[in-house]
Amino acid sequence: MEKKFASQADLEEKKVSFDRLSDHAYAYTAEGDPNTGVVIGDDDVMVIDAQATPVMAQDVIRHIRTVTDKPIRYVTLTHYHAVRVLGASGYQPQHIIASRDTRELIVERGEQDMKSEIERFPRLFCAVESVPGLTWPTIVFDRRMTLMMGQLQVEIMQLGRGHTKGDTVVWLPQDRILFSGDLVEYDATPYTGDAYLTDWPATLDAIAALQPQKLVPGRGAALQSPEAVRSGLEGTRAFVTAMFESVKSGARAGRDLRTVYRETYETLKPQFGHWVIFDHCLPFDVSRAYDEATGHVHPRIWTAQRDKDMWATLEG
């Protein structure tokens, strides 16, 4: 587990890309760390996923200001994980948008999730002291919401569960660009600690059915062609499916979690071991998969103590 908080110097040295996808869309990506999407309407700007702290949000704002001076009016949360949302206040948005399922997750486990993530992955929380507390939505929608940013149509949708129960995508139908959050990763290991693994492949099918020409994944480079989009979808599906099948096989055979973890690690390492955060994510991934395979339909809450107990069980 990581032990060092990022410094301002670390943030300044991070290799960031700010890629133009269309007149309306940009992707802020950084070496396999969480991505942020940017949508520019006629009069204002939407940020999609806020980064981990308000200080980290300032770097996103600095890049936005190289292409527009329009006000940042909206922050949209693709789901609730601390590393994605705790920087929202840094944008001083008029509205924070989230699905009702995401809001329910904040109510149920927001405090525990914040403490757990900050302890388990401090490198991603530069200037954690700048976080004012939990991020709460000001606009909550059920399943689908259409927002007109001038003449630009923005569809904010739940296509199904996968990474969390609140998963939300942002779709620009005029440009055929999709912001997927962590439902899709590219050359980065999916985190499935709060996932619905049985549902995830069908949700990827629903994304593919939109036929996006470009896609911004939760981690990894922006996918700027239909071929790259297919690669991102197929890679995510391959990992989720292979991991879950390995765990289900071990659970059916009556093996304990530690044994199943070691077997799954050896099964996945050759194909996926080079993906960023593979060693970090897999213990959480296998733990959730084992729960789902043994009848726990809904993810259990991760606390800082549960993190420690898990590492002791699997790695000790």
Side-chain angles (χ1 to χ4, degrees), residues 185-213:
E185 310 286 21
Y186 186 67
D187 283 347
T189 308
Y191 171 76
T192 76
D194 299 297
Y196 288 81
L197 293 155
T198 301
D199 296 358
W200 201 328
T203 305
L204 294 176
D205 289 343
I207 290 174
L210 293 171
Q211 298 184 325
Q213 300 296 294

Side-chain angles (χ1 to χ4, degrees), residues 61-129:
I61 294 170
R62 181 174 65 83
H63 283 82
I64 291 172
R65 291 298 169 235
T66 66
V67 296
T68 183
D69 60 0
K70 296 172 183 176
I72 300 170
R73 184 156 289 140
Y74 305 100
V75 169
T76 297
L77 311 181
T78 64
H79 62 285
Y80 190 84
H81 277 138
V83 74
R84 296 285 179 186
V85 306
L86 294 184
S89 64
Y91 302 95
Q92 298 183 326
Q94 183 176 343
H95 294 294
I96 299 174
I97 302 170
S99 68
R100 188 169 304 279
D101 287 328
T102 291
R103 188 184 186 282
E104 288 176 0
L105 288 174
I106 302 171
V107 172
E108 177 189 49
R109 60 185 67 196
E111 288 284 355
Q112 296 97 321
D113 177 83
M114 178 169 66
K115 292 174 183 175
S116 169
E117 287 198 54
I118 288 171
E119 285 198 23
R120 79 167 73 149
F121 228 168
R123 181 183 64 79
L124 296 179
F125 289 87
C126 177
V128 69
E129 68 279 0

Side-chain angles (χ1 to χ4, degrees), residues 139-157:
I139 296 175
V140 175
F141 71 94
D142 289 301
R143 302 306 168 197
R144 184 168 187 149
M145 169 183 171
T146 300
L147 181 68
M148 297 304 300
M149 297 177 65
Q151 295 301 307
L152 180 67
Q153 181 179 344
V154 181
E155 298 290 342
I156 306 170
M157 304 181 289

Side-chain angles (χ1 to χ4, degrees), residues 7 30 33 120 135-136 145 151 181 189 235 249 259 264-265 267 270 299:
S7 66
D33 286 348
R120 79 167 73 149
T135 295
W136 291 96
M145 169 183 171
Q151 295 301 307
T189 308
S249 176
T259 302
T264 301
Y265 186 97
T267 297

